[in-house]
Amino acid sequence: PHHFRDPFVFYDQARGCFVMLVTAQRTDYPLAGYGNCLAQLVSPDLQRWTLVEPFLIPGFPDAPECPDYFVWNGWHYLIFSNGLQARYRMARSSHGPWLRPALDLLDGPWGRVMKTAPYHDNRRIGVAWLGTRAGDADDGKLQWGGHAVFRELVQQADGTLGSKFVPEMALPAGAPLSLPIQAMTPGATVEPGRIALDAPEGLAAAAISGVPHNAHIRLTVAPAPQARRFGLRLRAANGLTGGYPLEIEPDARRVALYDAILCPLPALDAPATLEIVLYDDIIDLCLNERHCLINRCPGQHGDQLTFFCHNGAAVFSDIIITSLSSVPDWRKSETDGETLRDGGAN
């Protein structure tokens, strides 16, 4: 009697029938409150349906929403969302056993309720949504709607999934910018396109100034052994003042972009590529072309990009910053080109 929504239908080749997954809850589950499940109905003809045992009871205290199922290169994948965050399971057959990978998320907490579809050349695209912040404040609650977020899924050799930016959807960018760079502390050595930080007992930092509000940033970071915490501060105003931290902690296998976190990631003590898009109030990160993390950050507007390393050493190299061209304002009317104001249209 609870939920019974978000149906997803697929044809199961192994069983020779159609399967409908439905967000539901078993009221007879022995552990009260944890019977939330994907109910399973089967049909030979899409007309007559029979309710059978649940497809999966994932063991969360909230309902598994918006299911998605697909087969890709010999692996079967099941996606569902808890707390609006898309999780996935993997199996070698349509009936499991469904394995949970160490990192079962396809994006951070604000890339919400991802669903997927096949694309040409055996590719697969995921689409989530990024809500707006209440009051356009950095600490405002994430609201419904906002922007669609497109990802290309990445399948590793062991069948685990990740995500990266969709190449065809890259925003137009200009030529690489030549921007002033300065060492801010002892232990910082700078040159065009390269920053080396060495702070075994404290903090070292350097900064690039004049970064456009809408920018594309690409770099490689190589931490020394035992580096504990390093990263960037985006849209900073004065070194480590203001802006939004992008922190990498190898020991915890953790990456955080302001209040969005991915953990546990694969080993983070090796050289890694970072690709960052700053656009309006959106900050979007792709790590090693296999993990994405997005956030809505409307409050800070500084033009500094600060590099830091805390208790260790790291080298940031191949730093390329370009300005992003504006895209058409989605609020423009398609018929007369006038901007739609509050109350003008929804």
Side-chain angles (χ1 to χ4, degrees), residues 98-183:
W98 293 102
L99 307 177
R100 175 177 178 171
L103 177 64
D104 66 343
L105 306 174
L106 295 173
D107 208 308
W110 310 138
R112 294 180 152 174
V113 194
M114 183 179 291
K115 303 289 289 287
T116 73
Y119 195 47
H120 69 83
D121 295 333
N122 195 35
R123 297 163 66 188
R124 196 161 192 96
I125 303 297
V127 184
W129 56 271
L130 172 67
T132 52
R133 294 248 186 204
D136 278 337
D138 287 338
D139 59 355
K141 181 180 179 181
L142 265 292
Q143 302 173 119
W144 291 91
H147 285 80
V149 179
F150 288 76
R151 303 297 194 208
E152 179 168 351
L153 297 193
V154 178
Q155 187 182 54
Q156 305 301 318
D158 62 358
T160 56
L161 297 178
S163 64
K164 65 179 183 179
F165 295 163
V166 182
E168 293 90 337
M169 301 183 74
L171 291 170
L177 300 173
S178 178
L179 300 174
I181 178 173
Q182 68 176 111

Side-chain angles (χ1 to χ4, degrees), residues 2 5 7 13 22 32 60 66 139 163 195 201 210 213 231 256 260 283 288 299 303 335:
H2 300 288
R5 53 181 168 83
Q13 295 281 356
V22 179
F60 291 105
C66 301
D139 59 355
S163 64
I195 295 172
E201 296 181 337
H213 190 71
I283 301 179
N288 287 331
D303 70 349
T335 56

